[in-house]
């Protein structure tokens, strides 16, 4: 259980922060950039959730909780030694599978795309597209971290699947694709 009774501690005033294992690192470190972007993603999901009806609002709430699990996973570096299952809170294959099932269920009712789509349509769809792009940025930061340190591979898979999830749910929010805004190549060019 977490107890937060004092919000500021002054321990990060010099530009460093403590990881979950007590190690102090720069606030500009790859690890902090990765879980900080996941925190940003969680905030933009909160905005999208305001416009969502059930069951989407519930699914977004579950994802927000998953992202706190993700932050807990990344804030405690994996040691070179194998961890005992359940020793640390880590993103699991089951969480990735849940996203895949939700994507498959939602995508079943959508017509295949014959063009890329522009972020927009309904306000909820536009917000979900913003979530998608922040999820992609969080994924890039996490992959960059994984190039230099050990990272739970399920965490990377989760973010990859999550951006796909937001794409499909944005189409659902656009009247099951009927309000998708299609990209028209070269539409803004003035030839001549």
């Amino acid at each position: 259980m977490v107890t937060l009774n004092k919000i500021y501690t002054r321990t990060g005033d010099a530009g460093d922060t403590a990881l979950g294992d007590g190690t102090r690192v720069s606030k500009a470190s790859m690890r902090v950039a990765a879980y900080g972007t996941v925190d940003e993603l969680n905030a933009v999901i909160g905005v999208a959730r305001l416009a969502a009806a059930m069951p989407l609002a519930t699914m977004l709430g579950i994802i927000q909780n998953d992202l706190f699990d993700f932050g807990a996973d990344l804030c405690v570096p994996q040691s070179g030694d194998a961890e005992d299952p359940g020793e640390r809170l880590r993103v699991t294959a089951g969480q990735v599978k849940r996203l895949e099932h939700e994507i498959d269920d939602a995508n079943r009712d959508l017509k295949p795309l014959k063009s890329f789509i522009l972020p927009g349509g309904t306000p909820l769809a536009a917000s979900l597209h913003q979530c998608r792009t922040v999820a992609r940025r969080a994924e890039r930061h996490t992959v960059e971290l994984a190039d230099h340190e050990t990272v739970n591979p399920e965490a990377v898979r989760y973010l990859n699947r999550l951006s796909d999830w937001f794409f499909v749910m944005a189409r659902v929010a656009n009247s099951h694709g009927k309000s998708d805004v299609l990209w028209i190549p070269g539409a803004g060019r003035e030839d001549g």
Side-chain angles (χ1 to χ4, degrees), residues 24-38:
R24 298 218 48 99
V25 298
S26 168
K27 289 182 179 182
S29 75
M30 286 184 282
R31 185 170 297 278
V32 175
Y35 71 70
T37 307
V38 168

Side-chain angles (χ1 to χ4, degrees), residues 132-167:
R132 174 184 57 79
T133 63
V134 177
R136 283 287 185 214
R137 183 159 33 93
E139 180 185 13
R140 288 190 301 272
H141 284 303
T142 303
V143 168
E144 180 182 26
L145 174 63
D147 286 345
H148 295 88
E149 298 180 39
T150 302
V151 171
N152 174 6
E154 294 303 331
V156 175
R157 286 186 195 100
Y158 184 88
L159 286 177
N160 187 34
R161 219 61 86 248
L162 184 59
S163 58
D164 296 334
W165 188 96
F166 284 121
F167 180 82

Side-chain angles (χ1 to χ4, degrees), residues 60-73:
L60 288 168
I62 292 167
I63 289 168
Q64 285 186 295
N65 198 77
D66 284 351
L67 292 177
F68 263 79
D69 292 353
F70 193 103
D73 186 330

Side-chain angles (χ1 to χ4, degrees), residues 12 16 28 47 50 57 67 69-70 93 99 105 130 141 146 152 154-155 169 171 173 175 185:
D16 61 345
V47 174
L50 294 173
L67 292 177
D69 292 353
F70 193 103
L99 292 176
D105 288 346
Q130 183 179 22
H141 284 303
N152 174 6
E154 294 303 331
M169 294 308 165
R171 294 200 65 213
S175 303

